[in-house]
Amino acid sequence: MQARHTGSRCSCGVKPHAEQNPMLSKVLIIGIFLAILYSLASSFYFLVRDKDDSDRTVRRLSWRVGLSLGLLLLMWGGFHFGIIEPQGINPVRYPAGPGD
């Protein structure tokens, strides 16, 4: 007989993916977001301060776009694989399927 994983723990004692280490995903997302903000601020600084023909602003903005896309893919993967659960005022809750 297959154990059913419902609630915070099931009969076999296994936690769902989202409850195994929720702090790690939050720290990772906040860290990447801070790196995006740093890249944006440094590109603005180089835009204002560089008087010569430098490509530092373009490189920093390229890093920002890459980090933003990476964060988007990371969050999509987290939602898709159940590592991150939606939270808020009215989160979406999906009913348990017959195979769960």
Side-chain angles (χ1 to χ4, degrees):
M1 182 174 188
Q2 190 177 24
R4 219 179 137 98
H5 300 285
T6 58
S8 62
R9 285 189 185 259
C10 71
S11 59
C12 65
V14 176
K15 292 181 182 180
H17 289 295
E19 294 183 13
Q20 286 179 357
N21 197 353
M23 205 57 192
L24 179 64
S25 62
K26 290 178 185 178
V27 168
L28 188 63
I29 289 171
I30 290 171
I32 294 173
F33 186 70
L34 289 175
I36 291 169
L37 289 178
Y38 170 75
S39 175
L40 183 64
S42 65
S43 65
F44 178 71
Y45 175 79
F46 291 134
L47 179 67
V48 172
R49 293 291 177 188
D50 282 350
K51 299 298 179 197
D52 57 347
D53 192 20
S54 176
D55 64 341
R56 290 195 294 183
T57 302
V58 174
R59 282 188 287 149
R60 297 293 172 132
L61 289 174
S62 299
W63 268 101
R64 186 183 70 86
V65 169
L67 286 170
S68 298
L69 287 174
L71 180 62
L72 180 70
L73 290 174
L74 181 73
M75 291 180 66
W76 176 82
F79 282 121
H80 182 72
F81 293 114
I83 298 169
I84 302 172
E85 288 184 354
Q87 297 180 5
I89 296 173
N90 191 13
V92 176
R93 301 283 183 209
Y94 297 104
D100 289 341

